[in-house]
Amino acid sequence: MPRRLGVRHEAWPIKGSFTIARGSKSEAHVVVAEISDGEFIGRGECVPYARYGETVEGVLKEIASLTPEIESGLTRENLQTRLPAGAARNALDCALIDLEAKMTGRRAHDILGLPSPKPVRTAFTLSLDTPDAMGKAAMEASAHGYGLLKLKVAGPDDLKRIEAVRAAAPNARIIADANEGWRFEDLTRLAPELARLGVALIEQPLKSDEDAVLADFKSPVPLCADESCHTLADLPRLKGRYAAINIKLDKTGGLTEGVALARAAHGYGFATMIGCMVSTSLAMAPASLLAGFADYVDLDGPLLLARDREPALHYEGDMLFPPRTELWG
């Protein structure tokens, strides 16, 4: 029976709002692709991201443009050359993996040659806010068992924010994520202070097209590339600028490229973070299979939502459990 492709936009409310250096939002807008063979349905979820020139409408059109090829049996391997890395390819790649898993009765990690997933500890993200508000949020997160806190920063009060979080959560590991919101002068001023406060990692301090200057900077806190790192092809350029990379499936264009990037990263000397956009458990499930490669896991997207899809991933405090087949893979 020919395959059928379905694609739709969904909006999921966020608890309160989520703020980073580039702005705030109160909803997570995702695109879901579904591929059916008449008996089984494979699903994938992506987040179109304006920073990379993506829109919901554009991603819907990109996915729909491959309808004839999907329905005639486009393979996951051929998909890698049919769409560029990005959200649209991610949704289709994950849907094809999910469909193959359901059709064959094999788990997705077996199909991809990955070890069986185990429960992992995830970071919890604190939205950009005043120092007092972020301190209170850190105290609440610590009380709920979150030991790794990722702070969204990018403003004149960043040192006060991090000091407030450190005072409120003295035993937490801290990642400071500037989302390209600092200048080089900010980095050179703040990095020694963050080292004093025991910050473990500074994520994407500068704009991606300005990070060449990092090759000559000896940071007292390791630097992690996010917006600067999308696919395997980026690794040679980032060597010497960053100590770590953040792997997100919406940047890699799916789990297929995500696995390749994760496998290569340590060979280049990079530590790895497995990250996410604000999205539902359907997007987290494929990414969670990469946790075995990760020095840092940041898969808290569903925890930032007012509600999640059912069935959902299971979290206990900061512990994320492997996805069930009913959800994905």
Side-chain angles (χ1 to χ4, degrees):
M1 180 177 290
R3 292 179 177 178
R4 292 289 179 264
L5 170 66
V7 57
R8 65 180 181 274
H9 163 231
E10 298 175 348
W12 294 83
I14 292 171
K15 294 176 185 175
S17 64
F18 185 72
T19 303
I20 66 171
R22 282 188 287 272
S24 298
K25 60 183 179 180
S26 58
E27 290 183 315
H29 289 272
V30 308
V31 171
V32 176
E34 293 184 340
I35 303 173
S36 170
D37 72 340
E39 181 179 0
F40 300 101
I41 299 175
R43 301 185 300 161
E45 177 182 315
C46 70
V47 178
Y49 203 46
R51 167 64 181 82
Y52 306 130
E54 296 174 334
T55 65
V56 168
E57 295 76 14
V59 167
L60 289 169
K61 289 179 180 177
E62 270 193 283
I63 293 173
S65 73
L66 291 188
T67 298
E69 294 173 67
I70 292 290
E71 293 184 348
S72 63
L74 179 70
T75 66
R76 179 166 52 91
E77 291 74 20
N78 288 338
L79 172 65
Q80 309 309 307
T81 61
R82 293 296 295 115
L83 287 178
R89 196 176 81 189
N90 178 30
L92 287 173
D93 185 71
C94 291
L96 286 168
I97 294 170
D98 188 34
L99 180 62
E100 183 177 350
K102 289 177 168 60
M103 290 174 62
T104 62
R106 301 171 64 202
R107 294 306 306 266
H109 64 268
D110 286 329
I111 291 170
L112 296 165
L114 299 174
S116 298
K118 297 178 174 59
V120 294
R121 298 192 182 278
T122 179
F124 184 75
T125 303
L126 304 185
S127 178
L128 179 65
D129 210 326
T130 65
D132 284 347
M134 293 186 76
K136 290 177 183 177
M139 187 175 296
E140 292 175 3
S142 293
H144 284 87
Y146 297 104
L148 175 60
L149 301 178
K150 183 171 179 176
L151 317 185
K152 293 295 186 178
V153 297
D157 290 331
D158 281 346
L159 181 56
K160 292 180 180 178
R161 291 183 175 101
I162 296 167
E163 287 176 334
V165 168
R166 174 53 76 208
N171 297 319
R173 299 173 72 205
I174 294 175
I175 298 169
D177 184 6
N179 286 113
E180 302 182 290
W182 288 355
R183 299 165 300 173
F184 186 61
E185 294 77 11
D186 298 319
L187 176 61
T188 56
R189 173 177 57 87
L190 289 170
E193 297 294 333
L194 270 57
R196 172 180 62 83
L197 292 166
V199 170
L201 202 65
I202 297 173
E203 189 174 346
Q204 199 66 45
L206 311 180
K207 290 181 173 58
S208 61
D209 60 0
E210 297 176 358
D211 64 5
V213 68
L214 298 178
D216 298 318
F217 177 60
K218 304 301 181 185
S219 178
V221 178
L223 304 181
C224 176
D226 182 2
E227 286 86 348
S228 290
C229 183
H230 290 242
T231 68
L232 182 61
D234 291 314
L235 293 183
R237 175 178 55 83
L238 301 177
K239 183 72 174 175
R241 301 181 188 182
Y242 296 95
I245 62 168
N246 188 344
I247 301 172
K248 294 177 180 176
L249 302 191
D250 280 312
K251 294 186 301 176
T252 65
L255 188 54
T256 298
E257 175 68 16
V259 170
L261 178 56
R263 283 178 168 151
H266 286 173
Y268 277 88
F270 293 110
T272 55
M273 178 189 299
I274 307 304
C276 66
M277 307 298 189
V278 182
S279 46
T280 80
S281 284
L282 181 57
M284 294 310 108
S288 71
L289 299 192
L290 297 178
F293 295 99
D295 299 280
Y296 303 90
V297 174
D298 179 26
L299 297 177
D300 63 343
L303 301 176
L304 305 175
L305 299 176
R307 59 183 176 85
D308 195 5
R309 69 175 74 247
E310 291 293 340
L313 284 171
H314 179 58
Y315 293 85
E316 290 183 10
D318 66 350
M319 190 68 72
L320 166 61
F321 289 82
R324 293 176 295 166
T325 54
E326 297 90 340
L327 172 62
W328 185 89

